[in-house]
Amino acid sequence: MRLDNLSAIAKSERIPRMISRIFADMPEVEADRAVIVTQSYRSTESQPIIARRAEAFYSICENLPITIRPEELIAGSASIAPRGCQVFPEYSYEWLERELDDLETRSADPFFISEEAKKRLREVFPYWKGKTNSDLAFSLMAPEARAGISHNIFTPGNYFYNGIGHFCVKYDEVLAIGFSGIRSKAEKELDALAFYDPHYACRSAFLKAVIRSCDAAVVYARRYCELARRMSQEESDPQRRAELARIAENCSRVPEFPAESFWEACQAFWFTQLLLQLESSGHSISPGRFDIYMNPYYEADKKNGAVSLEFAQELLDCLWVKLNDLNKVRDKDSAEGFSGYSLFQNLIVGGQDEEGRDSTNDLSYMCLEASKHVLLPAPSLSIRVWNGSPRSLLLKAAETTRTGIGLPAYYNDEAIIPSLMNRGLSLEDARTYCIIGCVEPHKAGKTDGWHDAAFFNMCRPLELVFSSGADNGEQIGPLTKPVEKMSSFKEFWDAYADQMGHAVNLMVSAVNSIDQAHMIRCPLPFQSALIDDCISKGKSLQEGGAAYSFTGPQGFGIANVADSMMAVRQLVFEQKKYTLADFKEAMAENYGRGVGEGKVSELAIRISKELEGTGVEVGEAEVRVICQVLKERFSKSERWNGLLKDIEAAPKYGNDIPEVDELARKAANLYSKEVQKRRNPRGGVFQAGLYPVSANVPLGAQTGATPDGRLAGTPVADGVGPAQGRDLKGPTSACNSVARLDHIIASNGTLFNQKFHPSAMSTQEGLEKFVALVRGFFDQKGMHLQFNVVSAETLKDAQSHPENYKGLVVRVAGYSALFSTLSKSLQDDIISRTTHGLPL
Amino acid sequence: MNESDLSLKGRIFDIQRFSIHDGAGIRTIVFLKGCALRCRWCCNPESQSNSIQHMDFDGETKTVGRDVTAAEVMEEVIRDEPYYRRSGGGLTLSGGEALLQPDFSGALLRISKECGLTTAMESTGFGSFESVRDKILPWLDEFLMDIKHMDSAKHLEHTGQPNGRLLENARKIAGAGQNLLIRVPVIPGFNDTQEEIAAISSFAKSLPGVKKMRLLPFHQYGAGKYARLGMEYRMAGAAAPEASKMEELRKTAAGAGLDVQIGG
């Protein structure tokens, strides 16, 4: 137990200034990378793809405009404009070409782009026609799989348009031996490679590409060295002049050579992090266990007096700001799903070492402090919790949580370590896991995880049960027994399992085609240089070079499926109050709550087509009549109020009711066990995740009404949590329900969101109880927990839409209560308190 | 576990889990129905009558009160055992007045102790001391006792009961070595003067072993319930005491040599 908990370290004055500078303007799209890559590709057409990728990367490092921003202590920016981003036409470009003129005015994640940049991009785009990764992925894809996408069963959009990302490299190796050392490793392999080796051609090309990429990183750093030196000579302020001189010196040494100080280690880390994001457009490139691999450099400097605690903290804070300086432009629809300009750079503290000892160190605390200092979304800060975690670290984490930034997320070693071992990781590798992106467990430096491979909507197979596998008149699933003829709940469940199995097949097929496309068109030598066993195997990550290769598609909507199954079992098969035909009709009519114009015209077209198919002529007048009839049919009615009320009264997941929680577990396992049977083209297996990022909203919009009373087009349940507003018994009940799922089988991660009011955590005692809640959930083998400590704005929204916030806990006066249960005036009172600022 | 404890029946009106502002750790509060007092400011008027009642929620009727066995209550309470274990939490009995159902309350406390939970009770001390001593205290970790006023006539006027027996019980309970915390609801026009609070705190200080006192500011949060129950509310429009006033009263109370906090 530590007695000094590094409770508060002063924040340097430069930090707020750096933050306001990078957030001053709308982020900007820059054309330079796209132009450089295009020029490079034009000049390397006769070479193997791995060499072309290395040349393109080298050219970026040599030519991409560079800048050092005011006051920063760590140099390296991907764009001249703060929070700017580059373009990656080799992955896909058509969407950007189409949306160029709307980027600045769109609602989600707008970007400024100059006319000059637009012009330069329009000049290079034609080169890429038919040559992109997404072009190839599409042409490789089975027609059935394409149909699965167009019917919104799942969406693999992430990697269809972009790089994969979602990895954590050997930052420790960069710090320890530098790119010169990594280069030597590749050279050694190349020397040892016999020209008569059956894979000589591919291996030698790959190793040469690795060497070229290592050189590229060194070239890039040298340019910063020169720039910093020049700026230092021109600088009038003596303090800044010295800082710039030190930056120049750092950049002359790292990342080429081993880091010899904490400052150099920070700089080497940053170049690595930055360059990985210039090589490909993948996101969720995660720093991982930063406190572990940076600590030796901090400890050494601390011991010899080279760095003070305050200055080390200032360097960390600067790095935290830099992590927010990176950006990515996505297509309009994806931007809605990922809004907030997020890159999901997950950085985790705490946990265990290879031998199972607690690995918390000073930097673990300082990382939490850095997030408290900057109060920004990046890095996605996480903390590993296990039975041996120090109390002081968890309290420090709780203090960070109550700032309301939703960080850190809490991860349970006691669930994650066995889940990774179940996938074949060694005990040592499992114990030293980190988290990628949102919630994905991962062994850094050894894994190509392909986490986030696709979003799989678990409600869609359920809809297909009611149509025997047809969607919009097209048979896309197996022809299961019509629900009208089902006589037992088992038959209903089995039909769901059949639809699920087929839908998973469609998804796996689509994802594997995309995987193959990346292997062929976008192998990544720089990234592969930093992940085992690419160099020793002589092949890139994308070709299966990693020690562990996985594909992790994530299912969501568990709560809706569980509540649906419960309602059907109880109302149809136990109470026999309704038939499945009633449910089918009620769902088609959206429970009498009306359907949109779009749905009416969609149905009218279908009916017209069906009529024409039977030989009936359908003219304009007929279509008008059909529309009229449909409108009447789907207009609002009271007809299903009784059913809705009975559904509402059925037990709901999230209230600590074992029978419905068991259905949730069964549904989640159905998905997980289907997924884990499949293999990917990199020689690895699929592993299921259970989380939606924020796709439950846009994908919910494409989902019809479900038997749990959820209306068409409304969001599907978020993560493994209860459906919105259906958990009525507070956080411990919800935690107990969620803990009844088998988290350990979902080794690609599970996500459980909880909402808290800051008042519940305002005192030291409140923090202790918060930690106890996390611990209590984790004792039951829950995997992940994160908290939204909500603001006044949220509370106001909760007031107008109480149905969405039934689980929100607030501190009242000497007691806590669910917000939705309070009177209007009391709610007003609490809202006004928040506005005045709570005692944080 | 004793079978006869598990099958004992009692009347409750609510079970509130994840209570984090009422004692040690994460707690579950069981609210027992029925009270001997009729405090004008009571924020749980549905707790007062010991009969099952109905509340009207815009045309929908909600039944308040149900008869349950101790086993049924504990089955719900024990669900949060992982959180009690991590926080030192457990069961809190509240009301109404838990001492009006001494056997049932005693059974709940006994089972809780056997399950390894900590126990607390919020009470006005209304009951025979012998019953409290024999049926409650052996299984109670913390007694949170309300003391509302030192003047019995005023107490009678505002709560419907004189305070003689309550104060006597407070002294006897403290004398029995019970961990006792005194809570004072600060009610405008009833006990919110320096003199009245000082009188309570010096009494509290005189109780053997008592070190802590809490001042709970009056609030209007129960106001809406009266109409739903068809009851008259006599505190309508009364203002909650200002934070500055609460702080003055806190200082006054602390002057008696107690650890005094506002709230919780």
Side-chain angles (χ1 to χ4, degrees):
Chain A
M1 181 171 169
R2 59 182 304 141
L3 299 173
D4 60 320
N5 72 352
L6 298 170
S7 58
I9 305 163
K11 172 160 73 174
S12 155
E13 284 175 10
R14 83 173 77 216
I15 301 303
R17 290 194 296 262
M18 285 173 67
I19 293 171
S20 58
R21 264 183 226 116
I22 72 162
F23 285 93
D25 296 310
M26 182 185 284
E28 183 172 346
V29 175
E30 296 180 3
D32 301 280
R33 183 190 179 283
V35 171
I36 294 166
V37 168
T38 310
Q39 278 167 355
S40 171
Y41 261 64
R42 280 186 205 276
S43 67
T44 57
E45 286 185 349
S46 63
Q47 298 183 28
I49 184 65
I50 193 78
R52 300 183 72 189
R53 295 296 307 168
E55 281 312 314
F57 183 64
Y58 193 95
S59 195
I60 292 166
C61 290
E62 206 175 19
N63 299 305
L64 194 73
I66 61 169
T67 182
I68 296 172
R69 306 202 196 288
E71 296 196 78
E72 61 185 15
L73 297 175
I74 313 287
S77 295
S79 56
I80 297 299
R83 290 194 308 140
C85 72
Q86 298 293 339
V87 173
F88 297 75
E90 65 270 40
Y91 287 97
S92 64
Y93 69 92
E94 289 93 336
W95 58 269
L96 183 57
E97 192 173 35
R98 237 178 2 250
E99 296 173 14
L100 270 183
D101 289 326
D102 305 326
L103 282 180
E104 201 178 334
T105 51
R106 69 186 192 182
S107 59
D109 292 3
F111 280 87
F112 170 77
I113 177 165
S114 69
E115 289 306 316
E116 169 68 15
K118 284 185 202 173
K119 184 168 155 279
R120 294 173 73 202
L121 287 174
R122 287 196 175 110
E123 278 164 14
V124 301
F125 283 154
Y127 172 78
W128 295 100
K129 192 164 177 55
K131 297 191 181 77
T132 64
N133 201 75
S134 68
D135 288 327
L136 181 62
F138 187 75
S139 69
L140 289 171
M141 206 177 285
E144 294 86 346
R146 286 185 208 165
I149 298 174
S150 63
H151 286 273
N152 304 315
I153 309 292
F154 58 89
T155 146
N158 232 352
Y159 304 161
F160 189 75
Y161 293 114
N162 297 297
I164 314 297
H166 291 87
F167 57 80
C168 177
V169 300
K170 294 183 286 177
Y171 297 96
D172 53 343
E173 190 169 278
V174 176
L175 303 181
I177 65 173
F179 278 100
S180 61
I182 296 167
R183 187 186 201 280
S184 317
K185 279 174 65 181
E187 277 172 336
K188 224 180 256 169
E189 287 291 336
L190 193 57
D191 287 345
L193 182 63
F195 61 86
Y196 45 81
D197 183 292
H199 300 292
Y200 172 81
C202 290
R203 285 188 185 156
S204 63
F206 171 74
L207 292 168
K208 283 176 196 161
V210 166
I211 291 166
R212 188 72 170 149
S213 303
C214 291
D215 291 345
V218 173
V219 162
Y220 188 68
R222 280 194 193 136
R223 292 174 62 211
Y224 277 96
C225 167
E226 283 157 29
L227 176 62
R229 190 163 293 147
R230 213 165 48 237
M231 286 171 70
S232 164
Q233 285 156 4
E234 290 161 10
E235 177 63 50
S236 54
D237 174 55
Q239 191 203 327
R240 185 61 184 156
R241 190 160 63 229
E243 285 170 4
L244 285 162
R246 179 64 196 266
I247 291 170
E249 195 189 320
N250 289 345
C251 296
S252 74
R253 295 200 21 83
V254 295
E256 182 173 9
F257 303 111
E260 287 184 351
S261 67
F262 185 61
W263 196 344
E264 280 186 12
C266 288
Q267 182 67 60
F269 159 80
W270 177 246
F271 274 131
T272 310
Q273 183 67 5
L274 171 65
L275 286 168
L276 287 166
Q277 320 221 21
L278 283 171
E279 189 189 25
S280 85
S281 61
H283 62 73
S284 299
I285 295 172
S286 298
R289 305 191 76 191
F290 183 90
D291 59 338
I292 305 297
Y293 57 76
M294 295 296 285
N295 194 51
Y297 303 90
Y298 172 64
E299 282 297 326
D301 273 11
K302 192 170 86 171
K303 203 178 261 175
N304 64 28
V307 71
S308 66
L309 174 67
E310 289 71 24
F311 187 65
Q313 184 66 52
E314 189 172 4
L315 287 172
L316 284 189
D317 293 359
C318 283
L319 263 187
W320 261 232
V321 176
K322 293 297 287 179
L323 287 161
N324 288 278
D325 200 346
L326 293 171
N327 215 333
K328 172 169 177 171
V329 59
R330 300 178 171 88
D331 64 279
K332 187 166 143 280
D333 292 340
S334 304
E336 302 270 349
F338 290 98
S339 61
Y341 300 105
S342 192
L343 281 179
F344 311 100
Q345 302 172 90
N346 202 309
L347 187 153
I348 197 161
V349 299
Q352 303 171 52
D353 66 10
E354 290 84 350
E355 294 177 14
R357 292 169 297 203
D358 187 72
S359 59
T360 307
N361 59 41
D362 285 2
L363 282 182
S364 318
Y365 295 83
M366 291 161 72
C367 288
L368 289 161
E369 186 72 8
S371 286
K372 279 176 72 185
H373 280 173
V374 303
L375 296 175
L376 294 173
S380 295
L381 190 68
S382 299
I383 178 170
R384 281 178 52 171
V385 179
W386 72 295
N387 292 339
S389 292
R391 179 173 171 276
S392 57
L393 182 70
L394 297 186
L395 285 173
K396 177 95 182 171
E399 277 174 26
T400 313
T401 294
R402 83 170 160 197
T403 61
I405 53 173
L407 302 173
Y410 297 77
Y411 292 87
N412 185 9
D413 280 12
E414 315 294 347
I416 291 176
I417 293 170
S419 88
L420 291 173
M421 291 182 69
N422 184 40
R423 299 289 172 226
L425 268 68
S426 68
L427 177 63
E428 291 76 13
D429 284 349
R431 276 177 173 158
T432 50
Y433 78 89
C434 67
I435 294 294
I436 300 297
C438 295
V439 295
E440 301 96 272
H442 182 107
K443 170 58 193 176
K446 283 192 174 184
T447 313
D448 182 18
W450 253 80
H451 310 291
D452 250 10
F455 296 108
F456 185 93
N457 184 348
M458 290 171 60
C459 293
R460 293 287 285 145
L462 187 58
E463 280 191 88
L464 292 176
V465 171
F466 285 88
S467 61
S468 300
D471 187 51
N472 281 335
E474 211 176 307
Q475 190 69 33
I476 55 160
L479 194 66
T480 46
K481 194 172 191 178
V483 289
E484 293 84 351
K485 293 186 180 154
M486 290 180 181
S487 55
S488 69
F489 179 67
K490 184 175 182 304
E491 273 190 319
F492 183 77
W493 181 275
D494 289 348
Y496 178 60
D498 282 354
Q499 295 294 348
M500 171 76 87
H502 185 74
V504 167
N505 271 338
L506 296 176
M507 172 182 71
V508 166
S509 169
V511 166
N512 278 343
S513 304
I514 299 170
D515 198 334
Q516 198 77 49
H518 283 274
M519 193 181 283
I520 297 169
R521 288 230 161 129
C522 287
L524 301 170
F526 180 65
Q527 187 188 109
S528 303
L530 300 173
I531 293 174
D532 289 337
D533 300 319
C534 293
I535 290 180
S536 62
K537 284 185 186 170
K539 59 179 172 181
S540 72
L541 212 60
Q542 290 67 33
E543 297 160 296
Y548 304 113
S549 289
F550 294 110
T551 302
Q554 57 278 17
F556 63 94
I558 295 161
N560 302 100
V561 173
D563 293 348
S564 293
M565 289 293 178
M566 191 69 222
V568 164
R569 189 171 82 188
Q570 190 175 77
L571 300 177
V572 176
F573 296 106
E574 288 169 9
Q575 298 176 1
K576 301 192 194 306
K577 200 167 172 185
Y578 300 91
T579 63
L580 280 172
D582 292 333
F583 267 92
K584 184 176 174 176
E585 203 178 338
M587 284 155 58
E589 293 180 15
N590 199 22
Y591 295 101
R593 293 299 183 270
V595 294
E597 288 282 325
K599 184 78 185 165
V600 167
S601 47
E602 188 189 306
L603 283 171
I605 292 167
R606 213 170 86 201
I607 292 170
S608 311
K609 275 191 188 155
E610 279 171 15
L611 285 174
E612 278 172 347
T614 62
V616 181
E617 222 170 279
V618 186
E620 235 176 76
E622 284 82 2
V623 171
R624 225 173 296 137
V625 173
I626 293 169
C627 283
Q628 192 52 42
V629 171
L630 283 171
K631 261 187 209 155
E632 277 163 26
R633 171 95 195 269
F634 292 129
S635 61
K636 295 192 178 170
S637 82
E638 310 280 299
R639 191 176 162 208
W640 301 109
N641 285 5
L643 174 60
L644 272 178
K645 212 167 172 191
D646 286 332
I647 291 173
E648 169 128 22
K652 296 284 182 291
Y653 174 65
N655 294 291
D656 202 359
I657 304 168
E659 55 174 336
V660 60
D661 295 348
E662 190 54 34
L663 287 170
R665 179 188 182 93
K666 240 179 115 182
N669 276 4
L670 180 64
Y671 174 73
S672 301
K673 288 183 178 177
E674 277 299 329
V675 165
Q676 70 184 14
K677 290 179 199 161
R678 277 44 177 211
R679 301 193 67 84
N680 66 36
R682 285 164 288 122
V685 293
F686 277 68
Q687 55 173 346
L690 300 170
Y691 60 93
V693 191
S694 52
N696 60 314
V697 179
L699 298 187
Q702 301 164 343
T703 308
T706 38
D708 57 336
R710 187 194 132 274
L711 298 180
T714 59
V716 170
D718 144 51
V720 290
Q724 293 80 343
R726 289 194 193 146
D727 54 322
L728 307 172
K729 296 175 91 181
T732 54
S733 298
C735 283
N736 287 355
S737 284
V738 173
R740 287 202 179 94
L741 301 180
D742 184 354
H743 293 254
I744 293 176
I745 195 178
S747 49
N748 199 47
T750 68
L751 186 153
F752 182 28
N753 268 318
Q754 287 241 321
K755 288 197 189 85
F756 259 70
H757 191 270
S759 58
M761 301 177 70
S762 61
T763 60
Q764 185 65 19
E765 216 186 325
L767 294 180
E768 304 256 9
K769 291 175 185 183
F770 169 85
V771 169
L773 179 71
V774 174
R775 292 267 203 196
F777 176 59
F778 283 178
D779 284 345
Q780 302 174 74
K781 306 293 181 206
M783 189 181 263
H784 161 273
L785 198 51
Q786 65 187 29
F787 296 86
N788 295 315
V789 180
V790 295
S791 63
E793 286 68 36
T794 312
L795 291 177
K796 280 178 198 149
D797 192 47
Q799 211 171 27
S800 353
H801 304 285
E803 67 279 6
N804 297 336
Y805 293 90
K806 285 182 193 162
L808 177 61
V809 177
V810 293
R811 168 86 165 139
V812 187
Y815 66 102
S816 280
L818 295 166
F819 186 75
S820 61
T821 63
L822 304 173
S823 68
K824 168 83 167 57
S825 57
L826 178 51
Q827 292 181 343
D828 285 342
D829 181 71
I830 292 170
I831 289 169
S832 70
R833 268 192 255 159
T834 329
T835 319
H836 295 134
L838 283 149
L840 283 182
Chain B
M1 234 154 272
N2 189 330
E3 269 307 313
S4 60
D5 274 352
L6 289 168
S7 57
L8 256 185
K9 279 201 158 192
R11 184 164 286 181
I12 65 169
F13 70 94
D14 201 7
I15 296 179
Q16 189 190 311
R17 288 163 67 175
F18 195 65
S19 168
I20 53 172
H21 300 294
D22 308 272
I26 293 171
R27 313 197 65 80
T28 295
I29 307 187
V30 176
F31 291 90
L32 285 86
K33 196 153 163 40
C35 189
L37 274 59
R38 291 293 179 269
C39 304
R40 293 180 183 183
W41 57 87
C42 180
C43 66
N44 285 329
E46 75 275 33
S47 73
Q48 294 177 357
S49 162
N50 61 3
S51 25
I52 308 265
Q53 288 171 289
H54 298 286
M55 280 172 91
D56 176 55
F57 283 87
D58 310 318
E60 264 187 64
T61 305
K62 201 178 130 193
T63 304
V64 185
R66 57 193 160 111
D67 292 326
V68 288
T69 62
E72 284 166 336
V73 172
M74 290 310 297
E75 203 168 285
E76 172 136 15
V77 172
I78 208 66
R79 291 259 174 95
D80 281 350
E81 199 268 339
Y83 314 99
Y84 307 145
R85 192 171 55 210
R86 285 296 191 173
S87 66
L91 171 78
T92 299
L93 295 180
S94 184
E97 172 54 71
L99 294 179
L100 292 184
Q101 302 181 55
D103 294 316
F104 182 60
S105 295
L108 292 175
L109 295 172
R110 212 151 34 239
I111 301 167
S112 295
K113 288 317 286 182
E114 283 174 40
C115 294
L117 314 188
T118 63
T119 54
M121 183 167 71
E122 301 176 334
S123 164
T124 60
F126 192 96
S128 88
F129 172 69
E130 288 67 29
S131 159
V132 175
R133 181 193 61 201
D134 298 340
K135 296 177 177 175
I136 303 290
L137 299 190
W139 300 277
L140 187 66
D141 294 320
E142 187 169 39
F143 199 127
L144 310 166
M145 186 183 282
D146 264 25
I147 294 184
K148 304 168 205 297
H149 210 288
M150 293 309 293
D151 179 322
S152 192
K154 203 159 180 189
H155 197 279
L156 175 64
E157 186 192 344
H158 287 259
T159 73
Q161 291 284 349
N163 67 6
R165 181 154 69 144
L166 309 181
L167 299 179
E168 193 186 318
N169 277 345
R171 189 166 297 285
K172 286 179 177 168
I173 289 166
Q178 174 65 42
N179 176 18
L180 181 61
L181 178 147
I182 302 300
R183 305 210 296 186
V184 183
V186 177
I187 311 299
F190 169 59
N191 66 359
D192 63 339
T193 64
Q194 302 281 345
E195 296 71 34
E196 286 162 310
I197 294 297
I200 297 174
S201 59
S202 67
F203 172 75
K205 176 64 185 168
S206 77
L207 299 173
V210 169
K211 294 193 176 61
K212 289 181 188 171
M213 186 162 139
R214 298 288 176 261
L215 298 179
L216 311 178
F218 168 76
H219 56 73
Q220 286 284 2
Y221 303 152
K225 296 180 185 173
Y226 283 82
R228 297 187 195 285
L229 287 157
M231 291 168 66
E232 185 200 358
Y233 183 48
R234 298 172 69 179
M235 297 294 288
E242 303 264 332
S244 55
K245 172 157 194 178
M246 287 304 299
E247 182 50 30
E248 277 171 30
L249 294 176
R250 192 196 65 77
K251 281 190 191 141
T252 302
L258 293 166
D259 159 18
V260 185
Q261 286 177 22
I262 298 165

